[in-house]
Amino acid sequence: MIKAVVFDLDGVIIDSEEVWEEVRRGYAAEYGRRFLPDTQDRMMGMSTGEWSRHLAEEVGVPRTPSQVASDVLSRMAARYRDDLPLIPGSVAAVRRLGERFTLALASSSARVLIDQVLQTAGLTDAFAVTLSTEEVPRGKPAPDVYLAAASKLGVPAAECAAVEDSSNGLRSAGAAGMAVVAVPHGVYPPAADALALASLTVTSIETLTADEVAALR
């Protein structure tokens, strides 16, 4: 029986993947560096420490990973302050599922961005637990953040559902043993093997119902 639902943030509640790509691609370009065709896909789901190291060491930005993280996060925070890219129906979906299940948030975003998004969206009170992959040993696709969320909720991972959009996010939730709900992103669709881990796939978060989630196990 499903007792709790763990939401991803980027690509599920806010349509931020394109913002992340614009900001990080533009940042690399400032130093004369170019993204490879798979750079954005590889960074989706990475923790702050992981993607900042990737930009410094793999893309070649001549800054330390900590400097890269600081630079990029300040740019992202500014974008969110100007215009938070909420996905239509996402806030209502969180509230709707929260009437029936205990909720948690497991995000690859930095803590500072998670807190800002929830405050701006009016969702600070919606989640019993919020976690950043900064706060666990490994980012997605490792299961660490989902296992930590279940542990903090006091609910076995097998009795949790996870709502995810990206390949690495789906793999992370699946590896944690959760029932996986996929909400594929139109611009950055998940790989077929990752999507196959989902017990339920919906085309829009707007249409996800508590009954559908409850029926997963």
Side-chain angles (χ1 to χ4, degrees):
M1 181 174 68
I2 299 297
K3 295 180 179 177
V5 178
V6 188
F7 281 84
D8 178 36
L9 180 66
D10 296 276
V12 173
I13 295 174
I14 55 172
D15 194 6
S16 57
E17 303 293 4
E18 290 182 72
V19 181
W20 275 108
E21 180 169 7
E22 289 173 12
V23 167
R24 292 190 290 209
R25 186 184 292 274
Y27 178 68
E30 291 175 21
Y31 292 95
R33 301 298 190 268
R34 296 176 60 186
F35 270 25
L36 298 173
D38 66 343
T39 297
Q40 175 64 13
D41 286 342
R42 290 179 63 187
M43 286 192 294
M44 288 174 72
M46 284 185 178
S47 68
T48 301
E50 289 166 339
W51 63 249
S52 60
R53 188 164 55 250
H54 181 82
L55 285 176
E57 297 175 1
E58 301 297 327
V59 177
V61 174
R63 302 271 281 169
T64 66
S66 62
Q67 289 172 326
V68 169
S70 178
D71 293 344
V72 171
L73 291 176
S74 66
R75 287 162 169 78
M76 288 296 298
R79 290 287 293 268
Y80 285 172
R81 282 193 297 270
D82 291 341
D83 184 20
L84 186 64
L86 282 169
I87 290 175
S90 62
V91 171
V94 169
R95 293 296 184 189
R96 186 165 61 248
L97 268 64
E99 292 175 357
R100 189 158 171 183
F101 306 102
T102 302
L103 303 184
L105 185 81
S107 174
S108 296
S109 279
R111 168 57 62 184
V112 63
L113 295 183
I114 292 172
D115 291 345
Q116 182 177 316
V117 168
L118 295 183
Q119 181 178 6
T120 303
L123 290 174
T124 302
D125 66 332
F127 299 97
V129 169
T130 63
L131 276 172
S132 165
T133 51
E134 290 181 331
E135 298 158 352
V136 295
R138 299 174 297 173
K140 302 172 184 179
D144 300 29
V145 72
Y146 278 108
L147 292 173
S151 177
K152 286 182 177 292
L153 287 173
V155 178
E159 295 176 6
C160 296
V163 185
E164 269 286 359
D165 68 303
S166 69
S167 294
N168 284 342
L170 293 166
R171 292 173 182 135
S172 175
M178 294 188 179
V180 182
V181 178
V183 190
H185 194 284
V187 179
Y188 306 102
D193 70 290
L195 190 59
L197 298 171
S199 301
L200 172 66
T201 300
V202 295
T203 56
S204 169
I205 191 70
E206 200 166 12
T207 66
L208 181 62
T209 69
D211 285 344
E212 287 178 308
V213 174
L216 291 174
R217 287 181 178 169

Short mmCIF file of all heavy atoms in Angstrom, two decimals, residues 102-160:
data_model
loop_
_atom_site.label_atom_id
_atom_site.label_comp_id
_atom_site.label_asym_id
_atom_site.label_seq_id
_atom_site.Cartn_x
_atom_site.Cartn_y
_atom_site.Cartn_z
N THR A 102 1.32 11.39 2.81
CA THR A 102 2.42 12.21 3.32
C THR A 102 3.36 12.48 2.16
O THR A 102 3.65 11.58 1.36
CB THR A 102 3.18 11.47 4.44
OG1 THR A 102 2.27 11.15 5.48
CG2 THR A 102 4.30 12.32 4.98
N LEU A 103 3.86 13.71 2.06
CA LEU A 103 4.68 14.09 0.91
C LEU A 103 6.11 14.42 1.31
O LEU A 103 6.37 14.96 2.40
CB LEU A 103 4.09 15.31 0.20
CG LEU A 103 2.65 15.23 -0.32
CD1 LEU A 103 2.31 16.51 -1.07
CD2 LEU A 103 2.45 14.01 -1.20
N ALA A 104 7.03 14.11 0.40
CA ALA A 104 8.42 14.52 0.53
C ALA A 104 8.90 15.06 -0.80
O ALA A 104 8.26 14.83 -1.85
CB ALA A 104 9.30 13.36 0.99
N LEU A 105 10.01 15.75 -0.79
CA LEU A 105 10.63 16.28 -2.00
C LEU A 105 12.07 15.79 -2.04
O LEU A 105 12.79 15.91 -1.04
CB LEU A 105 10.59 17.81 -2.00
CG LEU A 105 11.10 18.49 -3.27
CD1 LEU A 105 10.00 18.48 -4.33
CD2 LEU A 105 11.51 19.93 -2.97
N ALA A 106 12.48 15.22 -3.17
CA ALA A 106 13.85 14.73 -3.34
C ALA A 106 14.41 15.32 -4.62
O ALA A 106 14.07 14.87 -5.72
CB ALA A 106 13.87 13.20 -3.40
N SER A 107 15.24 16.33 -4.50
CA SER A 107 15.65 17.12 -5.66
C SER A 107 17.16 17.15 -5.83
O SER A 107 17.92 17.08 -4.86
CB SER A 107 15.14 18.56 -5.49
OG SER A 107 15.63 19.40 -6.51
N SER A 108 17.57 17.30 -7.07
CA SER A 108 18.99 17.48 -7.37
C SER A 108 19.39 18.95 -7.26
O SER A 108 20.58 19.27 -7.34
CB SER A 108 19.30 16.99 -8.79
OG SER A 108 19.07 15.61 -8.88
N SER A 109 18.43 19.84 -7.08
CA SER A 109 18.75 21.25 -6.92
C SER A 109 19.42 21.50 -5.57
O SER A 109 19.25 20.74 -4.61
CB SER A 109 17.48 22.11 -7.00
OG SER A 109 17.11 22.34 -8.34
N ALA A 110 20.15 22.59 -5.51
CA ALA A 110 20.79 22.99 -4.26
C ALA A 110 19.72 23.42 -3.25
O ALA A 110 18.64 23.87 -3.62
CB ALA A 110 21.75 24.15 -4.52
N ARG A 111 20.06 23.28 -1.97
CA ARG A 111 19.12 23.64 -0.91
C ARG A 111 18.60 25.06 -1.07
O ARG A 111 17.41 25.34 -0.89
CB ARG A 111 19.80 23.45 0.45
CG ARG A 111 19.08 24.05 1.64
CD ARG A 111 17.67 23.54 1.81
NE ARG A 111 17.63 22.10 2.03
CZ ARG A 111 16.51 21.40 2.14
NH1 ARG A 111 15.33 22.00 2.02
NH2 ARG A 111 16.53 20.10 2.33
N VAL A 112 19.47 25.99 -1.42
CA VAL A 112 19.05 27.39 -1.54
C VAL A 112 17.98 27.56 -2.61
O VAL A 112 17.05 28.36 -2.45
CB VAL A 112 20.27 28.31 -1.81
CG1 VAL A 112 20.94 27.98 -3.15
CG2 VAL A 112 19.87 29.77 -1.75
N LEU A 113 18.07 26.80 -3.69
CA LEU A 113 17.08 26.89 -4.75
C LEU A 113 15.78 26.19 -4.37
O LEU A 113 14.69 26.67 -4.67
CB LEU A 113 17.63 26.32 -6.06
CG LEU A 113 18.82 27.05 -6.68
CD1 LEU A 113 19.21 26.41 -8.02
CD2 LEU A 113 18.51 28.54 -6.88
N ILE A 114 15.88 25.03 -3.71
CA ILE A 114 14.68 24.33 -3.25
C ILE A 114 13.86 25.24 -2.35
O ILE A 114 12.65 25.42 -2.55
CB ILE A 114 15.07 23.06 -2.48
CG1 ILE A 114 15.69 22.02 -3.41
CG2 ILE A 114 13.83 22.46 -1.78
CD1 ILE A 114 16.26 20.82 -2.69
N ASP A 115 14.50 25.85 -1.37
CA ASP A 115 13.78 26.69 -0.41
C ASP A 115 13.15 27.90 -1.10
O ASP A 115 12.01 28.28 -0.78
CB ASP A 115 14.72 27.14 0.70
CG ASP A 115 15.16 25.99 1.61
OD1 ASP A 115 14.52 24.91 1.55
OD2 ASP A 115 16.13 26.17 2.36
N GLN A 116 13.87 28.47 -2.05
CA GLN A 116 13.33 29.63 -2.75
C GLN A 116 12.11 29.26 -3.58
O GLN A 116 11.10 29.95 -3.59
CB GLN A 116 14.40 30.27 -3.63
CG GLN A 116 13.90 31.52 -4.36
CD GLN A 116 14.98 32.19 -5.16
OE1 GLN A 116 16.11 32.35 -4.68
NE2 GLN A 116 14.66 32.57 -6.39
N VAL A 117 12.21 28.14 -4.31
CA VAL A 117 11.09 27.71 -5.15
C VAL A 117 9.85 27.43 -4.31
O VAL A 117 8.74 27.87 -4.63
CB VAL A 117 11.47 26.45 -5.96
CG1 VAL A 117 10.23 25.84 -6.61
CG2 VAL A 117 12.49 26.80 -7.04
N LEU A 118 10.01 26.70 -3.21
CA LEU A 118 8.86 26.35 -2.38
C LEU A 118 8.22 27.59 -1.76
O LEU A 118 6.99 27.69 -1.68
CB LEU A 118 9.27 25.36 -1.29
CG LEU A 118 9.74 23.99 -1.78
CD1 LEU A 118 10.06 23.08 -0.60
CD2 LEU A 118 8.71 23.35 -2.70
N GLN A 119 9.04 28.54 -1.36
CA GLN A 119 8.49 29.76 -0.79
C GLN A 119 7.73 30.55 -1.85
O GLN A 119 6.60 31.01 -1.61
CB GLN A 119 9.62 30.62 -0.21
CG GLN A 119 9.12 31.92 0.43
CD GLN A 119 10.25 32.73 1.05
OE1 GLN A 119 11.42 32.38 0.90
NE2 GLN A 119 9.90 33.79 1.73
N THR A 120 8.31 30.70 -3.03
CA THR A 120 7.67 31.47 -4.09
C THR A 120 6.38 30.81 -4.57
O THR A 120 5.40 31.47 -4.88
CB THR A 120 8.64 31.65 -5.28
OG1 THR A 120 9.83 32.28 -4.81
CG2 THR A 120 8.03 32.51 -6.37
N ALA A 121 6.39 29.47 -4.60
CA ALA A 121 5.22 28.72 -5.07
C ALA A 121 4.16 28.54 -3.99
O ALA A 121 3.07 28.04 -4.27
CB ALA A 121 5.66 27.35 -5.58
N GLY A 122 4.48 28.92 -2.75
CA GLY A 122 3.53 28.73 -1.66
C GLY A 122 3.40 27.29 -1.22
O GLY A 122 2.34 26.86 -0.76
N LEU A 123 4.48 26.52 -1.33
CA LEU A 123 4.45 25.09 -1.01
C LEU A 123 5.34 24.72 0.17
O LEU A 123 5.59 23.53 0.41
CB LEU A 123 4.87 24.27 -2.23
CG LEU A 123 3.89 24.23 -3.40
CD1 LEU A 123 4.51 23.49 -4.59
CD2 LEU A 123 2.58 23.56 -2.99
N THR A 124 5.81 25.69 0.91
CA THR A 124 6.71 25.40 2.02
C THR A 124 6.10 24.43 3.02
O THR A 124 6.79 23.58 3.60
CB THR A 124 7.12 26.70 2.73
OG1 THR A 124 7.73 27.58 1.77
CG2 THR A 124 8.10 26.43 3.85
N ASP A 125 4.79 24.53 3.22
CA ASP A 125 4.11 23.68 4.20
C ASP A 125 3.62 22.35 3.64
O ASP A 125 3.05 21.54 4.37
CB ASP A 125 2.91 24.43 4.79
CG ASP A 125 1.83 24.70 3.74
OD1 ASP A 125 2.17 24.80 2.54
OD2 ASP A 125 0.65 24.82 4.12
N ALA A 126 3.85 22.12 2.35
CA ALA A 126 3.26 20.94 1.70
C ALA A 126 4.04 19.66 1.96
O ALA A 126 3.47 18.56 1.89
CB ALA A 126 3.16 21.18 0.19
N PHE A 127 5.33 19.77 2.26
CA PHE A 127 6.19 18.59 2.35
C PHE A 127 6.68 18.36 3.78
O PHE A 127 7.20 19.28 4.42
CB PHE A 127 7.39 18.75 1.42
CG PHE A 127 7.01 18.88 -0.03
CD1 PHE A 127 6.92 20.13 -0.62
CD2 PHE A 127 6.73 17.76 -0.78
CE1 PHE A 127 6.56 20.25 -1.97
CE2 PHE A 127 6.37 17.86 -2.12
CZ PHE A 127 6.28 19.12 -2.72
N ALA A 128 6.53 17.13 4.24
CA ALA A 128 7.03 16.78 5.57
C ALA A 128 8.55 16.73 5.58
O ALA A 128 9.19 16.99 6.61
CB ALA A 128 6.45 15.43 5.99
N VAL A 129 9.13 16.38 4.44
CA VAL A 129 10.58 16.25 4.30
C VAL A 129 11.00 16.84 2.96
O VAL A 129 10.32 16.60 1.94
CB VAL A 129 11.02 14.77 4.37
CG1 VAL A 129 12.49 14.61 3.96
CG2 VAL A 129 10.78 14.19 5.75
N THR A 130 12.07 17.61 2.94
CA THR A 130 12.67 18.06 1.68
C THR A 130 14.16 17.75 1.73
O THR A 130 14.81 18.01 2.74
CB THR A 130 12.46 19.57 1.42
OG1 THR A 130 13.11 20.33 2.43
CG2 THR A 130 10.97 19.92 1.39
N LEU A 131 14.66 17.19 0.64
CA LEU A 131 16.07 16.80 0.59
C LEU A 131 16.69 17.22 -0.74
O LEU A 131 16.07 17.12 -1.80
CB LEU A 131 16.21 15.29 0.73
CG LEU A 131 16.22 14.71 2.15
CD1 LEU A 131 16.16 13.19 2.08
CD2 LEU A 131 17.46 15.15 2.90
N SER A 132 17.91 17.66 -0.65
CA SER A 132 18.74 17.92 -1.83
C SER A 132 19.76 16.80 -1.94
O SER A 132 20.22 16.25 -0.93
CB SER A 132 19.46 19.26 -1.68
OG SER A 132 20.51 19.38 -2.63
N THR A 133 20.14 16.47 -3.16
CA THR A 133 21.19 15.47 -3.32
C THR A 133 22.52 15.97 -2.78
O THR A 133 23.46 15.18 -2.59
CB THR A 133 21.36 15.06 -4.80
OG1 THR A 133 21.50 16.24 -5.61
CG2 THR A 133 20.18 14.25 -5.29
N GLU A 134 22.63 17.29 -2.49
CA GLU A 134 23.80 17.80 -1.79
C GLU A 134 23.93 17.16 -0.40
O GLU A 134 25.02 17.12 0.17
CB GLU A 134 23.67 19.31 -1.57
CG GLU A 134 23.78 20.17 -2.79
CD GLU A 134 23.66 21.64 -2.44
OE1 GLU A 134 22.98 21.99 -1.45
OE2 GLU A 134 24.25 22.45 -3.17
N GLU A 135 22.80 16.72 0.14
CA GLU A 135 22.74 16.28 1.53
C GLU A 135 22.87 14.76 1.69
O GLU A 135 22.69 14.23 2.79
CB GLU A 135 21.43 16.78 2.15
CG GLU A 135 21.36 18.31 2.16
CD GLU A 135 19.96 18.87 2.26
OE1 GLU A 135 18.97 18.11 2.16
OE2 GLU A 135 19.84 20.10 2.42
N VAL A 136 23.16 14.08 0.58
CA VAL A 136 23.38 12.62 0.60
C VAL A 136 24.68 12.33 -0.14
O VAL A 136 25.19 13.18 -0.87
CB VAL A 136 22.19 11.86 -0.04
CG1 VAL A 136 20.92 12.06 0.78
CG2 VAL A 136 21.99 12.28 -1.48
N PRO A 137 25.24 11.13 0.04
CA PRO A 137 26.56 10.85 -0.57
C PRO A 137 26.59 10.94 -2.10
O PRO A 137 27.56 11.44 -2.67
CB PRO A 137 26.87 9.43 -0.10
CG PRO A 137 26.13 9.30 1.19
CD PRO A 137 24.85 10.06 0.98
N ARG A 138 25.52 10.45 -2.76
CA ARG A 138 25.54 10.38 -4.23
C ARG A 138 24.27 10.98 -4.81
O ARG A 138 23.18 10.83 -4.25
CB ARG A 138 25.68 8.93 -4.70
CG ARG A 138 26.94 8.23 -4.26
CD ARG A 138 26.92 6.76 -4.64
NE ARG A 138 25.83 6.06 -3.95
CZ ARG A 138 25.47 4.80 -4.20
NH1 ARG A 138 26.10 4.11 -5.13
NH2 ARG A 138 24.47 4.24 -3.52
N GLY A 139 24.41 11.62 -5.97
CA GLY A 139 23.25 12.15 -6.67
C GLY A 139 22.56 11.07 -7.48
O GLY A 139 22.99 9.92 -7.54
N LYS A 140 21.45 11.44 -8.12
CA LYS A 140 20.75 10.54 -9.01
C LYS A 140 21.67 10.22 -10.20
O LYS A 140 22.40 11.09 -10.64
CB LYS A 140 19.46 11.20 -9.51
CG LYS A 140 18.52 11.61 -8.38
CD LYS A 140 17.34 12.43 -8.90
CE LYS A 140 16.47 12.93 -7.74
NZ LYS A 140 15.34 13.75 -8.21
N PRO A 141 21.71 9.00 -10.73
CA PRO A 141 20.75 7.90 -10.61
C PRO A 141 20.94 6.98 -9.40
O PRO A 141 20.22 6.01 -9.27
CB PRO A 141 20.99 7.12 -11.89
CG PRO A 141 22.45 7.30 -12.17
CD PRO A 141 22.74 8.72 -11.76
N ALA A 142 21.90 7.26 -8.53
CA ALA A 142 22.00 6.47 -7.29
C ALA A 142 20.73 6.70 -6.47
O ALA A 142 20.12 7.76 -6.54
CB ALA A 142 23.23 6.88 -6.50
N PRO A 143 20.33 5.73 -5.67
CA PRO A 143 19.06 5.84 -4.95
C PRO A 143 19.12 6.64 -3.65
O PRO A 143 18.10 6.78 -2.95
CB PRO A 143 18.73 4.38 -4.65
CG PRO A 143 20.07 3.73 -4.50
CD PRO A 143 20.95 4.41 -5.52
N ASP A 144 20.28 7.20 -3.32
CA ASP A 144 20.52 7.77 -1.99
C ASP A 144 19.45 8.77 -1.54
O ASP A 144 18.98 8.70 -0.40
CB ASP A 144 21.89 8.47 -1.96
CG ASP A 144 23.04 7.53 -2.27
OD1 ASP A 144 22.84 6.55 -3.01
OD2 ASP A 144 24.16 7.78 -1.79
N VAL A 145 19.10 9.72 -2.40
CA VAL A 145 18.18 10.78 -1.96
C VAL A 145 16.78 10.23 -1.71
O VAL A 145 16.09 10.67 -0.78
CB VAL A 145 18.17 11.94 -2.98
CG1 VAL A 145 17.45 11.56 -4.27
CG2 VAL A 145 17.55 13.19 -2.34
N TYR A 146 16.36 9.24 -2.49
CA TYR A 146 15.04 8.64 -2.27
C TYR A 146 15.02 7.76 -1.03
O TYR A 146 14.05 7.76 -0.27
CB TYR A 146 14.59 7.87 -3.51
CG TYR A 146 14.01 8.78 -4.56
CD1 TYR A 146 14.70 9.07 -5.73
CD2 TYR A 146 12.77 9.37 -4.37
CE1 TYR A 146 14.17 9.93 -6.67
CE2 TYR A 146 12.24 10.23 -5.31
CZ TYR A 146 12.95 10.51 -6.46
OH TYR A 146 12.41 11.37 -7.39
N LEU A 147 16.10 7.03 -0.81
CA LEU A 147 16.17 6.21 0.40
C LEU A 147 16.21 7.09 1.65
O LEU A 147 15.58 6.77 2.67
CB LEU A 147 17.41 5.32 0.35
CG LEU A 147 17.39 4.21 -0.71
CD1 LEU A 147 18.73 3.50 -0.76
CD2 LEU A 147 16.27 3.21 -0.42
N ALA A 148 16.91 8.22 1.56
CA ALA A 148 16.99 9.13 2.70
C ALA A 148 15.63 9.77 2.97
O ALA A 148 15.23 9.95 4.13
CB ALA A 148 18.04 10.21 2.44
N ALA A 149 14.91 10.10 1.90
CA ALA A 149 13.58 10.68 2.07
C ALA A 149 12.64 9.70 2.77
O ALA A 149 11.91 10.07 3.70
CB ALA A 149 13.02 11.10 0.72
N ALA A 150 12.66 8.45 2.33
CA ALA A 150 11.81 7.43 2.96
C ALA A 150 12.18 7.24 4.42
O ALA A 150 11.31 7.13 5.30
CB ALA A 150 11.94 6.11 2.20
N SER A 151 13.48 7.22 4.70
CA SER A 151 13.94 7.05 6.07
C SER A 151 13.47 8.19 6.96
O SER A 151 12.98 7.97 8.08
CB SER A 151 15.47 6.96 6.10
OG SER A 151 15.95 6.87 7.43
N LYS A 152 13.58 9.42 6.47
CA LYS A 152 13.15 10.58 7.26
C LYS A 152 11.64 10.60 7.44
O LYS A 152 11.14 11.09 8.46
CB LYS A 152 13.65 11.87 6.61
CG LYS A 152 15.13 12.11 6.78
CD LYS A 152 15.57 13.42 6.17
CE LYS A 152 17.04 13.68 6.42
NZ LYS A 152 17.33 13.94 7.84
N LEU A 153 10.91 10.09 6.46
CA LEU A 153 9.45 10.00 6.60
C LEU A 153 9.04 8.89 7.57
O LEU A 153 7.92 8.90 8.08
CB LEU A 153 8.81 9.72 5.24
CG LEU A 153 8.77 10.86 4.23
CD1 LEU A 153 8.25 10.35 2.90
CD2 LEU A 153 7.92 12.03 4.73
N GLY A 154 9.94 7.91 7.77
CA GLY A 154 9.59 6.75 8.57
C GLY A 154 8.70 5.79 7.85
O GLY A 154 7.93 5.04 8.46
N VAL A 155 8.80 5.78 6.50
CA VAL A 155 7.99 4.91 5.65
C VAL A 155 8.92 4.04 4.81
O VAL A 155 9.86 4.57 4.21
CB VAL A 155 7.07 5.74 4.72
CG1 VAL A 155 6.26 4.83 3.80
CG2 VAL A 155 6.14 6.64 5.54
N PRO A 156 8.72 2.74 4.75
CA PRO A 156 9.57 1.90 3.88
C PRO A 156 9.51 2.39 2.43
O PRO A 156 8.45 2.81 1.95
CB PRO A 156 8.95 0.51 4.01
CG PRO A 156 8.22 0.53 5.32
CD PRO A 156 7.71 1.93 5.47
N ALA A 157 10.65 2.34 1.76
CA ALA A 157 10.69 2.79 0.36
C ALA A 157 9.68 2.05 -0.50
O ALA A 157 9.10 2.63 -1.43
CB ALA A 157 12.10 2.61 -0.20
N ALA A 158 9.44 0.79 -0.20
CA ALA A 158 8.48 -0.01 -0.98
C ALA A 158 7.05 0.49 -0.83
O ALA A 158 6.18 0.12 -1.63
CB ALA A 158 8.57 -1.47 -0.57
N GLU A 159 6.81 1.32 0.17
CA GLU A 159 5.47 1.87 0.38
C GLU A 159 5.39 3.34 -0.02
O GLU A 159 4.46 4.06 0.35
CB GLU A 159 5.06 1.69 1.85
CG GLU A 159 4.93 0.22 2.24
CD GLU A 159 4.62 0.02 3.71
OE1 GLU A 159 4.38 1.01 4.43
OE2 GLU A 159 4.62 -1.15 4.14
N CYS A 160 6.38 3.75 -0.81
CA CYS A 160 6.41 5.12 -1.34
C CYS A 160 6.27 5.10 -2.87
O CYS A 160 6.73 4.16 -3.53
CB CYS A 160 7.73 5.81 -1.00
SG CYS A 160 8.04 6.07 0.75
#
